[in-house]
Amino acid sequence: MKINDTTGTTRSSLAPVERIIRKAGADRVSEGAGIELARVLEDYGIDVSREAITLAKHAGRTTVKDEDIRLAVARIKKS
């Protein structure tokens, strides 16, 4: 298992990200492209999660539900 020192990602953890790029139509995917998309997706996921946590707290819950995630995504898209 190859570990990338700068991102902490492993070659096996990049496979799903590279699969996304291939589903979008790429024939080949560089390791750098996989690493960069993984970074972007993680950043976006953190933003969505923070918004979902805010929504759950507003509803008086400590548990984040799927509906919080969906609403968080919709709210982020609007901004």
Side-chain angles (χ1 to χ4, degrees), residues 20-32:
I20 290 169
I21 298 170
R22 283 194 193 89
K23 278 186 174 183
D27 293 327
R28 298 179 67 196
V29 180
S30 72
E31 183 174 354

Side-chain angles (χ1 to χ4, degrees), residues 44 47-48 51 69-79:
Y44 182 68
D47 291 343
V48 169
E51 182 66 22
I69 297 293
R70 284 192 296 273
L71 185 54
V73 168
R75 288 175 64 146
I76 288 173
K77 281 184 179 179
K78 284 184 181 180
S79 60

Side-chain angles (χ1 to χ4, degrees), residues 7-48:
T7 63
T9 57
T10 62
R11 191 78 195 115
S12 61
S13 67
L14 289 177
V17 177
E18 291 173 355
R19 201 166 29 252
I20 290 169
I21 298 170
R22 283 194 193 89
K23 278 186 174 183
D27 293 327
R28 298 179 67 196
V29 180
S30 72
E31 183 174 354
I35 290 169
E36 185 60 19
L37 183 58
R39 186 192 62 75
V40 168
L41 293 173
E42 181 175 8
D43 289 347
Y44 182 68
I46 289 170
D47 291 343
V48 169

